[in-house]
Amino acid sequence: MSNLDEYRQFIAQKRPIFGSHGIKVDASQVHPSLKPFQRDIVVWAVGKGRAATFADTGLGKTRVSLEWARLLGQRTIFVAPLSVARQTVREARKIDLEVRYVRSPEQVTSDHNLWITNYEMIEKFDPAQFGAVVLDESSILKAIDGKTRRALTEMFSRTPYRLCCTATPAPNDLVEIGNHAEFLGISTAAEMKAMFFINANIDHYIEFAGVRMRRKGSNAGGQEWRLRHHGEEPFYKWMASWAMSIRRPSDLGYSDDGYILPPLTITPEWIDYTYIPDDRLVFTGFTGIKDFLALLRKTISIRCQAAANRVNADSDQWIVWTYLEEESTLAHNLIPDSVEVKGSDSPECKAEMIEAFQDGKLRVLVTKPEIAGFGMNFQNASKQYWVTVRYSWEEWYQAIRRSYRFLQDRPVQIYASLTPQMQEVWDTIQDKEKVAAHMSEQLISHVRKFELEELGDAAPEKRAYTPSKQMRIPRWLVSEQVQMGVQA
């Protein structure tokens, strides 16, 4: 091997690009019901073998994952939140597939390939039973405790094929990106930081659309991880080599026909209420979660009544989001034609009531975001009422997106009951919304070129690369013998 070949091999080993570990399939093998952008993502993901689909709500992540599993031909376990599992079973039938819901390893048989269970049940299963795994709503890797997340990552560390599906992460959300890379066996979170990031002083604020806002995740002082200036392009190229990030089809060069969202209206309903904490003469702001909960408990009746007044005023389908058990019970009692889905309900009962609501058999669903706020398709309801708004932007965004998602054909109306003391909570949510939108835009704009290259590499009719300039190699890199065959 010449010095030049050795150097090229050395450089290739240094490139932080995730290669292909799957199988090649033709686009014609994908179910015809999938849109062109979904079809090409499937072909790419099957070729990768281990990949992530960071696609916004309503872009068909479920069908992409189902086709990925079918084409790989392995016995596959889908892991999903409780409320999403039965929905996946129903979606599979639409593309002529059968996914069987299981709650114990004894239910898995050798004569069938596609199975699904819940995150709460997955530790009961033997990963050696499966050649492939799909994590649906995989952002749960960030939410669950470290011990459980590490156990899940270790559990499937030897599974040949792995797919993660969730909404688009922000580029500065190292926890989410690092957890996904680690689960897929691409790199550890520590390795990712070492390659592309630097631990630097925190810049608390960013400027966006003329508004100066606190950065998501910033704290009172110290340092934070941020992309190295010279590491930006390698980071986005590395990320595109194992993840497809997309907010709309046009992000990858496809038509947005059928994917234009209707108008969204968010209306806070301010309720006049004077609140004086027990340990103070006047309210001067929340001092902690206990203080916030104290206000919530004292205002349950007026906030639930505001929700009932709004929901009972028409005959449309509504989702009423609650937080406290007492809120859920009272809201259900004040809205005669509602159904309440609680955490204590059996999985079968939850699935039955949620499916009845999706099918239009029930008018009002009263539940919590943690039960039905992630992954569910509720385009049937274009109106939501929030009895409680908390500081969690992700909870707010995800739950609203159950209705405000692609394929929704009506304007979506969101209402929330708030007392004057909750102004800080409301402002925090609005600020986080602006920052998250800006960060998502940044991610997509940086990663688009590399994703198009990835899709081009996966395409069956890949165009040959024709260089426009001849490469010149510095004399000092090669021996005199090799230099004789290289243009100086």
Side-chain angles (χ1 to χ4, degrees):
M1 182 182 292
S2 68
N3 291 350
L4 180 58
D5 289 335
E6 289 179 356
Y7 180 72
R8 284 173 174 163
Q9 186 180 52
F10 171 76
I11 292 298
Q13 291 172 346
K14 287 291 184 180
R15 291 174 183 159
I17 301 298
F18 183 67
S20 297
H21 302 271
I23 62 174
K24 284 188 175 294
V25 296
D26 191 87
S28 62
Q29 296 174 254
V30 180
H31 195 279
S33 70
L34 271 71
K35 303 292 185 182
F37 75 92
Q38 297 168 341
R39 175 202 64 207
D40 291 349
I41 290 176
V42 168
V43 172
W44 169 83
V46 171
K48 283 292 175 179
R50 303 201 304 272
T53 302
F54 295 145
D56 216 337
T57 54
L59 285 174
K61 293 187 292 294
T62 300
R63 290 200 180 189
V64 166
S65 64
L66 288 166
E67 280 296 280
W68 176 85
R70 180 184 70 83
L71 289 167
L72 282 170
Q74 300 287 318
R75 186 179 303 143
T76 304
I77 183 72
F78 289 75
V79 193
L82 179 61
S83 55
V84 178
R86 298 300 181 93
Q87 180 175 275
T88 302
V89 172
R90 299 175 81 194
E91 187 68 19
R93 297 192 192 109
K94 298 177 183 178
I95 55 172
D96 310 313
L97 293 176
E98 181 188 4
V99 176
R100 297 179 185 174
Y101 176 68
V102 288
R103 302 189 67 191
S104 68
E106 293 76 24
Q107 295 175 285
V108 178
T109 58
S110 60
D111 61 344
H112 189 72
N113 271 356
L114 305 181
W115 305 88
I116 190 165
T117 192
N118 312 126
Y119 280 98
E120 296 84 355
M121 304 288 177
I122 189 59
E123 289 191 43
K124 297 180 180 179
F125 291 80
D126 179 5
Q129 288 182 289
F130 307 100
V133 59
V134 175
L135 296 191
D136 196 358
E137 295 301 319
S138 54
S139 59
I140 198 169
L141 288 172
K142 179 175 65 176
I144 59 181
D145 66 89
K147 180 180 178 182
T148 305
R149 185 185 67 250
R150 286 191 296 273
L152 190 63
T153 300
E154 175 60 28
M155 183 178 181
F156 291 104
S157 62
R158 295 174 181 81
T159 303
Y161 304 113
R162 291 166 245 169
L163 182 69
C164 294
C165 302
T166 190
T168 308
N172 68 330
D173 195 339
L174 296 188
V175 174
E176 186 160 356
I177 295 172
N179 287 343
H180 280 87
E182 198 155 334
F183 177 82
L184 294 170
I186 293 159
S187 76
T188 65
E191 288 170 342
M192 179 192 75
K193 289 178 180 178
M195 283 191 290
F196 305 111
F197 292 84
I198 186 172
N199 199 227
N201 291 332
I202 291 175
D203 179 12
H204 293 293
Y205 295 89
I206 64 170
E207 201 71 36
F208 175 63
V211 180
R212 190 166 181 262
M213 297 172 295
R214 183 174 291 274
R215 289 173 56 108
K216 180 181 178 183
S218 66
N219 54 39
Q223 294 185 316
E224 69 174 354
W225 291 93
R226 63 167 173 79
L227 271 172
R228 301 174 187 271
H229 294 304
H230 63 274
E232 286 192 9
E233 183 169 311
F235 170 73
Y236 291 117
K237 191 168 186 176
W238 169 78
M239 190 172 170
S241 71
W242 57 270
M244 281 288 147
S245 302
I246 174 174
R247 296 167 309 163
R248 59 181 71 91
S250 58
D251 290 334
L252 296 178
Y254 301 85
S255 171
D256 283 337
D257 289 349
Y259 288 91
I260 304 299
L261 284 168
L264 171 67
T265 304
I266 298 177
T267 305
E269 296 193 327
W270 296 99
I271 303 168
D272 187 21
Y273 179 77
T274 301
Y275 172 63
I276 300 177
D278 295 336
D279 58 347
R280 279 173 281 170
L281 296 177
V282 295
F283 177 76
T284 56
F286 298 117
T287 59
I289 184 62
K290 289 184 178 179
D291 204 11
F292 180 59
L293 288 174
L295 172 66
L296 292 184
R297 291 194 171 95
K298 290 191 175 186
T299 58
I300 286 176
S301 60
I302 58 174
R303 288 182 292 107
C304 286
Q305 188 61 60
N309 292 343
R310 177 68 63 177
V311 175
N312 290 336
D314 62 40
S315 58
D316 297 334
Q317 280 194 289
W318 285 79
I319 302 172
V320 177
W321 299 113
T322 63
Y323 172 46
L324 301 174
E325 294 290 341
E326 299 95 317
E327 290 174 352
S328 181
T329 301
L330 182 56
H332 171 52
N333 291 336
L334 291 172
I335 303 171
D337 50 352
S338 67
V339 61
E340 181 187 13
V341 177
K342 307 184 297 295
S344 58
D345 293 330
S346 69
E348 293 73 21
C349 180
K350 288 176 184 173
E352 181 181 345
M353 289 189 286
I354 287 174
E355 288 174 12
F357 177 71
Q358 289 173 318
D359 294 338
K361 298 175 182 177
L362 300 172
R363 191 178 81 87
V364 180
L365 174 66
V366 178
T367 191
K368 298 179 181 180
E370 64 192 56
I371 296 174
F374 291 79
M376 299 302 300
N377 297 336
F378 288 142
Q379 291 99 323
N380 57 294
S382 62
K383 295 182 177 180
Q384 297 184 6
Y385 201 103
W386 287 72
V387 174
T388 295
V389 177
R390 297 196 293 164
Y391 284 96
S392 172
W393 171 81
E394 185 174 14
E395 174 183 273
W396 170 259
Y397 174 83
Q398 286 284 353
I400 287 177
R401 286 282 174 158
R402 298 313 98 215
S403 297
Y404 188 61
R405 54 196 290 117
F406 294 115
L407 306 182
Q408 172 64 265
D409 57 4
R410 293 166 294 168
V412 174
Q413 300 175 44
I414 309 296
Y415 296 87
S417 60
L418 300 140
T419 67
Q421 298 78 22
M422 296 179 186
Q423 183 72 57
E424 174 189 326
V425 180
W426 185 250
D427 290 345
T428 298
I429 291 292
Q430 303 312 303
D431 285 349
K432 286 183 177 180
E433 174 71 31
K434 293 174 184 176
V435 172
H438 175 63
M439 292 297 183
S440 180
E441 178 67 35
Q442 289 290 99
L443 171 62
I444 297 298
S445 64
H446 281 93
V447 84
R448 181 182 292 117
K449 177 180 73 172
F450 304 120
E451 290 185 339
L452 290 173
E453 290 175 3
E454 284 285 329
L455 290 178
D457 288 341
E461 299 161 354
K462 179 182 174 185
R463 289 181 294 178
Y465 170 67
T466 305
S468 58
K469 295 182 180 179
Q470 186 171 10
M471 182 180 72
R472 294 177 179 271
I473 302 173
R475 293 177 181 274
W476 60 269
L477 287 178
V478 294
S479 66
E480 290 183 5
Q481 182 180 3
V482 176
Q483 285 181 33
M484 294 174 62
V486 180
Q487 181 177 346

